[in-house]
Each structure stands twice: as structure tokens, then as C-alpha cells.
Amino acid sequence: QPVRFSPGFESYVQKRLVGRPVEQAEFEIAAEQLLRLSLAHPVKCGYVLAALQELQPTIVRYPGGNFLSGYHWLDGVGPKDSRPRKTDLAWYAEESNRFGTDEFIAFCRYLGTDPYIAVNSGLGDARSAVEELLYANAPADKPGGQLRAKNGHPEPYGVRWWSIGNEMYGDW
């Protein structure tokens, strides 16, 4: 069944985002781009968020693509101003790490969708994957959960959907 938007938004999507009928469109939303857009153009971001809400996704994955192979989840938690800026090894672009696990969970809660977290199997290892799982799901008095609570999120996120790696291309 084709995706249906409200008439005003459907027109906006057709003219501005993809230039073809909505039912033929393929949407890929990058969280960092959405964050940058929201800071620079709050009205446009509102359109994107409205579109996502109308789509009613049942699950959203983060991070995605080949980017994941060089991403370390710890770089994306804690105070935003303390997060390291790094070069993304897949695209050779700067990664600000201003959108990380906590922001992703908030984004999913806003949309009313299930979060799906992919763990790094490129430069990552099993220990890092377990630590990320504990950060997301452990009680606040247990390892992993203690760090999440310290970062202002005492309740476990209850992430049910996980994957190991994605698009393993590159020399890492």
C-alpha cells in the first residue's frame, strides 16, 4: 500500500525533497543531518519530523551504513561539548558525535517507534558491544547503567532490537 501524507505535506515532499510521487520515493534520514537541519532551519526540520510521524515507522536503526564500521558508541554519550570530533573512516567527513545513543533514544521516543541499535563489528569488538548493550538496558545501579544514569538517563532504555555490523566495506 502506498505511503499517504496529508495533502499539504505530500505536495511539499514531491516538490522539495524528491521531485517524484511519494509512493515512488525512497527516504533515508541521517540523524546528524536532521540535527544540523533543526538548528539551522527549524521550520524545515518540523516538516521532516512531521513526515516521519506520518510514516509511523515501527523501528528505526542507528547508526547505519558503512559509517558504523569506524564508529565507537562511547564517543556519542555524555556532555555534547565533551564528545570528540573525529573523522568518519567511511566517508572521510567530520563526525561531531553530537547525536549519539541518548539522542537516538529520545528521537525514537518522540516518533513512538522501537530503537534498533547496530554494534560496530569493524573496529569494534565483543566487549564494546556488550558494554553498549549494558549502557542501553542495565539498571542504573549496574555497570553500563551507571554511566547512562550519570548522563541523566536513570531508567533503562529497554532496547530489544540489535544487530552486529553493517555494510562491511573498507580496509578496517
Side-chain angles (χ1 to χ4, degrees):
Q1 193 173 32
V3 175
R4 299 279 182 226
F5 295 107
S6 60
F9 189 77
E10 183 168 352
S11 174
Y12 175 82
V13 170
Q14 287 175 343
K15 291 177 183 172
R16 306 277 188 222
L17 297 180
V18 293
R20 54 194 170 123
V22 173
E23 53 269 12
Q24 296 175 10
E26 294 177 16
F27 296 94
E28 183 175 312
I29 305 299
E32 178 68 16
Q33 291 171 335
L34 184 61
L35 180 63
R36 288 179 187 162
L37 179 64
S38 70
L39 296 174
H41 307 284
V43 173
K44 289 182 182 177
C45 182
Y47 281 121
V48 173
L49 290 173
L52 290 171
Q53 285 180 315
E54 286 196 44
L55 284 171
Q56 299 179 346
T58 57
I59 193 165
V60 176
R61 182 184 66 181
Y62 175 81
N66 203 14
F67 164 80
L68 174 60
S69 299
Y71 177 72
H72 194 279
W73 72 274
L74 273 172
D75 293 340
V77 298
K80 289 181 185 178
D81 293 338
S82 300
R83 297 178 189 178
R85 292 172 115 40
K86 293 189 171 182
T87 299
D88 167 18
L89 299 175
W91 302 105
Y92 302 106
E94 182 182 86
E95 168 55 41
S96 72
N97 288 305
R98 294 185 64 80
F99 189 99
T101 304
D102 301 322
E103 292 79 18
F104 172 65
I105 297 296
F107 177 71
C108 289
R109 300 290 186 254
Y110 178 82
L111 292 177
T113 187
D114 280 339
Y116 167 12
I117 296 179
V119 298
N120 179 344
S121 65
L123 295 177
D125 58 18
R127 180 184 184 107
S128 176
V130 169
E131 289 171 349
E132 186 172 7
L133 184 132
L134 291 173
Y135 181 87
N137 291 341
D141 62 344
K142 301 292 182 194
Q146 293 169 335
L147 179 59
R148 186 193 61 252
K150 179 182 168 189
N151 290 333
H153 308 281
E155 295 301 316
Y157 291 140
V159 177
R160 299 180 302 156
W161 302 99
W162 296 84
S163 68
I164 300 171
N166 185 63
E167 295 183 23
M168 294 303 304
Y169 313 118
D171 30 349
W172 39 80

